[in-house]
Amino acid sequence: MKKLLIKGLRQGLGGLIVIGDKLSRPKPMQRTADKQSLVEQQIEGLSLYQLPACPFCVKTRRAMHRLNLPVTLRSTQVGSPYRDELAQQGGKLTVPCLRIEEQGEVRWMYESNDIITYLDQRFGTQAA
């Protein structure tokens, strides 16, 4: 009974987090069509392994939205092939995790603050 109650609370809070995110997202960065096209080519090697209601994943997705980065999202919910992929290739089952493929090499970045700093430095206003 206790486990069921905790699961229900977790799902309810997760739903509130997702709704709150959608209602309060920052405006996306504006770029010229040419610059946005270039950014979209550069992010082809990026994918975010995440869970929809994870607060740290929401934080990371909000930063991606603010930077206008349509990065591929990969859910790691139980039963997802991306869950196994993250554990086997990334080395641990922790989200958010940004998979970065550049010049034939793959890196896995795990901390939300590290991911956001990386994206800000690479795609933020100072990088533009």
Side-chain angles (χ1 to χ4, degrees), residues 29-32 35 39 120-128:
M29 174 186 286
Q30 297 298 309
R31 298 184 184 93
T32 65
K35 285 186 179 182
V39 164
D120 275 331
Q121 289 174 349
R122 186 161 175 202
F123 302 104
T125 54
Q126 294 179 356

Side-chain angles (χ1 to χ4, degrees), residues 50-100:
Q50 52 90 42
L51 290 169
C54 161
F56 298 104
C57 298
V58 169
K59 176 182 172 180
T60 304
R61 290 193 310 267
R62 288 175 65 83
M64 292 184 333
H65 182 79
R66 174 180 50 81
L67 293 167
N68 200 1
L69 302 173
V71 172
T72 300
L73 301 178
R74 295 185 171 167
S75 175
T76 59
Q77 291 180 324
V78 175
S80 166
Y82 297 122
R83 183 179 182 90
D84 296 333
E85 187 175 292
L86 176 61
Q88 292 171 1
Q89 295 178 25
K92 55 185 174 178
L93 194 55
T94 303
V95 292
C97 179
L98 184 66
R99 182 182 186 274
I100 306 165

